[in-house]
Amino acid sequence: MSDANWLSPENLDPAKLAIELAKAVSKSEAIKNYAKRTLDAILNGETQIAVLGAGGTGKSTFAHVITSDNPLHFDSTYESDIEQKNVQFPGKVSARLLVAPGQARYVSEVWPRIFDTLEKKKSLAIINLVAFGYHSFDLSSFEEFELFTPGMSEEKFLEAYLEQRRGIELERLHALKDGISEVKRNVWMMTVVGKQDLWWSSREKVIKHYTDADGSEYAQLLAEIENDLGARGLAFSHHFVPVSHVVSNFLGPDGQILAPTSAGYDLDEHIKHLYNLTRRFNDLLEGKKL
């Protein structure tokens, strides 16, 4: 796996991008158009897409944004889910997103049911949400976290928390890999790297963390999935798409700012990458080469 699979807006055709981004930045019409095309692309027959990932990575927010007729205007307050959530596309579209809870105690119970459901389809469609460790939480105090020690500063807590949560992202990818090992269908998968507004200033480090062929455990697991499917005569298509569904500071249990949005991640960047997500998602549904 290499960073060639990292689908940023810069990978799009420059001429078309210049025109379409002008629309996106000035009127946000391009985003709305691709949201509508996403719906139109799946009008013929029911399509079901699994939305997986650790708790707090933004799965429910992704589902609401991608099914919204105006993805730019959406607010989100984190609440952990304990059961599969089915998010229906609006209107008469016969499609839905199967949003799975990401907490460890529910993965072994709920995720297999989702894979059983998708196994009945011609191909397996998966969105995996990660956030470089910036996982929202619903605990009321630092003391409720096992990694917290008395006297720990907010900076040290954040450093330890992000590292721990990146480890949990890998645990969930292992669970995803186990689920795919049982299917007999071609698989297309998109890793949505969310909370981009928080890690924007460290984006080279983030890209390496997920894509480096030599040092990334995430990339190694994806290669194992591809090899396993290939050995069974099945196809695997995967790409990374970075985005921030909403722009907001990373808040602690009592509402204090643990990490502010990165300098330089302005409205233009937000719109550009949100447009990129809606277009890539649409292209995947239409079976286009990315």
Side-chain angles (χ1 to χ4, degrees):
M1 193 63 60
S2 72
D3 60 7
N5 293 81
W6 187 273
L7 298 182
S8 65
E10 290 75 16
N11 299 129
L12 295 169
D13 178 79
K16 292 181 180 179
L17 180 63
I19 297 173
E20 294 179 349
L21 282 185
K23 298 178 183 177
V25 172
S26 62
K27 300 180 181 178
S28 75
E29 288 302 314
I31 295 177
K32 293 181 182 179
N33 289 341
Y34 271 104
K36 182 179 183 300
R37 284 181 59 185
T38 293
L39 305 185
D40 293 343
I42 48 183
L43 280 171
N44 299 320
E46 182 172 302
T47 298
Q48 298 186 85
I49 302 166
V51 181
L52 308 176
T57 52
K59 297 184 298 296
S60 294
T61 304
F62 166 84
H64 287 297
V65 166
I66 209 68
T67 58
S68 171
D69 59 358
N70 189 0
L72 279 171
H73 294 88
F74 178 77
D75 191 16
S76 174
T77 301
Y78 176 65
E79 294 181 0
S80 60
D81 295 319
I82 63 174
E83 187 52 86
Q84 174 185 320
K85 180 188 295 182
N86 296 340
V87 180
Q88 195 76 27
F89 284 80
K92 298 181 180 179
V93 179
S94 181
R96 59 178 175 164
L97 302 177
L98 309 181
V99 185
Q103 291 74 15
R105 58 190 181 277
Y106 304 120
V107 170
S108 60
E109 176 184 349
V110 178
W111 286 28
R113 298 206 304 263
I114 289 180
F115 281 109
D116 287 343
T117 300
L118 295 176
E119 175 68 10
K120 301 171 185 177
K121 304 301 174 183
K122 292 182 179 179
S123 62
L124 193 64
I126 298 172
I127 304 292
N128 191 47
L129 270 290
V130 296
F132 199 56
Y134 287 98
H135 301 180
S136 302
F137 40 74
D138 54 3
L139 298 181
S140 59
S141 68
F142 288 112
E143 288 75 11
E144 294 183 55
F145 292 89
E146 292 183 2
L147 58 81
F148 180 82
T149 57
M152 177 181 274
S153 67
E154 292 180 2
E155 291 77 11
K156 287 294 184 181
F157 170 82
L158 179 61
E159 181 181 346
Y161 179 78
L162 295 179
E163 182 177 357
Q164 180 200 57
R165 299 306 296 186
R166 287 193 285 268
I168 292 176
E169 290 181 357
L170 292 172
E171 291 176 9
R172 297 299 175 271
L173 186 58
H174 273 285
L176 191 159
K177 176 175 175 285
D178 291 341
I180 289 178
S181 68
E182 300 297 326
V183 304
K184 301 177 180 65
R185 297 286 185 272
N186 295 330
V187 177
W188 70 252
M189 176 179 166
M190 177 189 290
T191 295
V192 175
V193 189
K195 314 292 180 78
Q196 185 183 35
D197 56 316
L198 298 174
W199 50 259
W200 179 248
S201 60
S202 303
R203 52 192 179 277
E204 294 302 322
K205 178 180 179 181
V206 174
I207 293 173
K208 185 176 181 179
H209 171 78
Y210 290 108
T211 69
D212 184 35
D214 296 322
S216 168
E217 187 175 347
Y218 196 98
Q220 291 170 6
L221 285 169
L222 289 175
E224 291 174 12
I225 292 173
E226 183 174 20
N227 291 337
D228 173 66
L229 288 168
R232 293 187 281 133
L234 300 171
F236 179 63
S237 174
H238 173 271
H239 292 87
F240 293 94
V241 177
V243 75
S244 186
H245 303 109
V246 294
V247 178
S248 62
N249 298 321
F250 189 63
L251 304 179
D254 57 0
Q256 75 275 35
I257 298 176
L258 290 180
T261 56
S262 297
Y265 195 85
D266 55 16
L267 180 60
D268 285 359
E269 288 293 347
H270 174 52
I271 292 175
K272 182 169 66 175
H273 285 87
L274 193 58
Y275 160 80
N276 183 54
L277 172 67
T278 57
R279 171 166 179 168
R280 302 298 190 178
F281 188 76
N282 176 261
D283 286 352
L284 282 171
L285 288 174
E286 293 184 343
K288 293 180 179 178
K289 183 177 179 181
L290 300 181

